[in-house]
Amino acid sequence: QVQLVESGGGLVRPGGSLRLSCAASGFTLNYYAIAWFRQAPGKEREGVSCIAGSGSSPYYADSVKGRFTISRDNAKKTVYLQMNSLKPEDTAVYYCATVNSATCSDYEFIVRSWGQGTQVTVSS
């Protein structure tokens, strides 16, 4: 049974940092790319970042490029999203997802499974 469990969300002030974790179970992690999405109130879910099964060629949305870093530890079956220089517009529920591919090509359209989400709130 595929399971993704996010953790690490919370309330942080603008300019602060958080590290989200996505613990995977029920499948062979390195066979699949893993992505992070987010959904803010009243907005559509958007892709934030993606990392290939091999850990190469990470992808970032323009809105987070230079501030967020995605990484994975296949031995620990965990994918991380380090978020620095957080802004109020980063406030959203963040979801990790398995991509039905080992690469991030068109990852937003081929999600295999979703986690339950973790809330990130950036506010002073």
Side-chain angles (χ1 to χ4, degrees), residues 7-13 15-21 67-69 80-86 90 92 94 118-122:
S7 61
L11 173 64
V12 64
R13 293 188 176 186
S17 298
L18 284 173
R19 188 176 81 155
L20 305 183
S21 298
R67 300 188 297 121
F68 290 13
T69 303
Y80 305 97
L81 186 67
Q82 177 67 44
M83 306 186 296
N84 298 329
S85 302
L86 283 161
D90 295 318
Y94 283 71
T118 185
Q119 176 71 46
V120 171
T121 303
V122 185

Side-chain angles (χ1 to χ4, degrees), residues 16-34:
S17 298
L18 284 173
R19 188 176 81 155
L20 305 183
S21 298
C22 174
S25 61
F27 65 102
T28 304
L29 183 64
N30 56 297
Y31 286 179
Y32 298 96
I34 301 292

Side-chain angles (χ1 to χ4, degrees), residues 71-105:
S71 62
R72 63 192 293 158
D73 185 334
N74 286 338
K76 293 183 178 180
K77 304 199 76 173
T78 303
V79 176
Y80 305 97
L81 186 67
Q82 177 67 44
M83 306 186 296
N84 298 329
S85 302
L86 283 161
K87 305 175 181 180
E89 51 264 43
D90 295 318
T91 295
V93 178
Y94 283 71
Y95 301 88
C96 68
T98 55
V99 179
N100 201 21
S101 171
T103 70
C104 291
S105 178

